[in-house]
C-alpha cells in the first residue's frame, strides 16, 4: 500500500479547513499545512489534524508556495487540495481502495474536479486535474497565478472526484498580480497570457481581454483545452462589445483545436435563435444532442450543454414554429436529464394546459 502526504497552502480558512481535512481521514498519512499569513483560527484548526504547520511569507506566487509545501512532504505520493475542496464520503471510500491497490509505478492520478452544481447537487461544471503525484518523480508547480503542476510519465485516470465548495467571494487579487507583472514588463508565458485574459474578461475589461486571448493563441503553445476555451471566452467578450459577427467567427475558431463540442454548438444555436433563424438554430441544437458523453478532455465541461440544454432550446424553437408535439417531446427529454429545472417545469405545465384547452374545444 502506498503512503500519501496531503500538501496545502492556506490563509484565513477557518470556515472550511476542518471539513476539508476531515474528508481525507484514512487517506492522508501525513498532512502538510503551509500558512501564508492567517489572522483567524486557521492554524488552530490545522493543529488538531497535524503537527506539520509551516509559515511562509506570501510573495504573490502560488507555485512557489505549493512547491514549498511539496518540499516538506515525506510520503510516497503527494495529494494537493485547497481548503474549500473536499472528498465526499463515496469518493473518500474509493480513494481508500485506490490507496490499497495503486501500482507504485504510476506517476500521476488525474481526478475529476467538480466545480458547480444545480439545486439537486448534480454536477454542472467540472474539469480534471493531476491530483495525486509520485513524490520521487520530482514534479514541480509553475506560475505565480493559476499555477499548474507539470507532470509526465505514467498518468492514469480515476473517477474519484474532488468537490469544490467555495465559501469566499471572488476578489481582484489575481488581476492585480497580473497587472503588477505587466507594469513591471515581466515576460508572460502562454499560460499567463490565457489566464490574464480570463481575469480581464471576468472583470469586464473585454477589449483588453480579446487582445490577450489573441496573444495567447498566437503563441501556438497553449494546451488544446485552453485554446478551445479562449475562443469561447473571446466570443463572450465580442458579444459584450456588440460585435456579433466576430463573436460567431470566434466560436467557429474552436474547430482549429478539435472536433465540435457541445459548449460551442449550443452557443451557435442560441446565436441563430436570437436572430429568429429557427431552422439554423434547430440544426445546431440537434448536433449537440448527437454527441454523446464528453470523453478524452481535461478542460472545463459544461454538462448542461451535453445533456438537457439543447433539448430545452429545441423545445423553444419548435414551439415558436408551431410544432407543439416536437416541442413537448424535447422538453420531456430535457426533463429526464433535469427534472427540477424551473423552465422545464414551466414548459410541462404549458403543454399540459394546451392539451386541456384542446379537449375543451
Amino acid at each position: 500500500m502506498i503512503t500519501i502526504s496531503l500538501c496545502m497552502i492556506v490563509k484565513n480558512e477557518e470556515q472550511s479547513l476542518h471539513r476539508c481535512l476531515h474528508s481525507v481521514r484514512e487517506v492522508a498519512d501525513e498532512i502538510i499545512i503551509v500558512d501564508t499569513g492567517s489572522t483567524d483560527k486557521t492554524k488552530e484548526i490545522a493543529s488538531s489534524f497535524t503537527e506539520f504547520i509551516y509559515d511562509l511569507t506570501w510573495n504573490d506566487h502560488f507555485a512557489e508556495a505549493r512547491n514549498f509545501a511539496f518540499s516538506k512532504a515525506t510520503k510516497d505520493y503527494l495529494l494537493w487540495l485547497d481548503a474549500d475542496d473536499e472528498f465526499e464520503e463515496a469518493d473518500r471510500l474509493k480513494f481508500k481502495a485506490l490507496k490499497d491497490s495503486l501500482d507504485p509505478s504510476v506517476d500521476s492520478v488525474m481526478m475529476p474536479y467538480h466545480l458547480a452544481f444545480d439545486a439537486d447537487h448534480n454536477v454542472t461544471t467540472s474539469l480534471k486535474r493531476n491530483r495525486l503525484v509520485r513524490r520521487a518523480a520530482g514534479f514541480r508547480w509553475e506560475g505565480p497565478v493559476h499555477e499548474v503542476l507539470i507532470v509526465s510519465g505514467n498518468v492514469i485516470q480515476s473517477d474519484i472526484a474532488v468537490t469544490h465548495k467555495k465559501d469566499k467571494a471572488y476578489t481582484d487579487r489575481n488581476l492585480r498580480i497580473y497587472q503588477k507583472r505587466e507594469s513591471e514588463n515581466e515576460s508572460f508565458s502562454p499560460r499567463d497570457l490565457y489566464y490574464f485574459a480570463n481575469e480581464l474578461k471576468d472583470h469586464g475589461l473585454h477589449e483588453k481581454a480579446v487582445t490577450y486571448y489573441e496573444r495567447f493563441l498566437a503563441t501556438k503553445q497553449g494546451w488544446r483545452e485552453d485554446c478551445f476555451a479562449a475562443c469561447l471566452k473571446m466570443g463572450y467578450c465580442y458579444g459584450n462589445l456588440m460585435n456579433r459577427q466576430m463573436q460567431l467567427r470566434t466560436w467557429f475558431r474552436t474547430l482549429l483545436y478539435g472536433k465540435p463540442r457541445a459548449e460551442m454548438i449550443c452557443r451557435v444555436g442560441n446565436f441563430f435563435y436570437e436572430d429568429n433563424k429557427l431552422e439554423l438554430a434547430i440544426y445546431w441544437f440537434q448536433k449537440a444532442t448527437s454527441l454523446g458523453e464528453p470523453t478524452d478532455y481535461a478542460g472545463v465541461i459544461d454538462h448542461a450543454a451535453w445533456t438537457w440544454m439543447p433539448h430545452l432550446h429545441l423545445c423553444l424553437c419548435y414551439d415558436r414554429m408551431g410544432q407543439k408535439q416536437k416541442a413537448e417531446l424535447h422538453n420531456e427529454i430535457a426533463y429526464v436529464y433535469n427534472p427540477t429545472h424551473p423552465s422545464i417545469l414551466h414548459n410541462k405545465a404549458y403543454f399540459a394546459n394546451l392539451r386541456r384547452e384542446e379537449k375543451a374545444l
Side-chain angles (χ1 to χ4, degrees), residues 273 276-282 314-324 326-327:
Y273 177 78
N276 205 36
K277 297 179 179 178
L278 298 180
E279 291 186 358
L280 276 173
I282 287 170
L314 284 167
C315 168
L316 299 177
C317 290
Y318 281 122
D319 182 69
R320 187 177 288 186
M321 296 174 70
Q323 299 183 40
K324 304 298 184 183
K326 284 187 176 181

Side-chain angles (χ1 to χ4, degrees), residues 42 53 67 124 171 246 254 307:
T42 293
I53 301 172
N67 286 328
T124 58
T171 70
M246 285 302 298
T254 62
T307 53

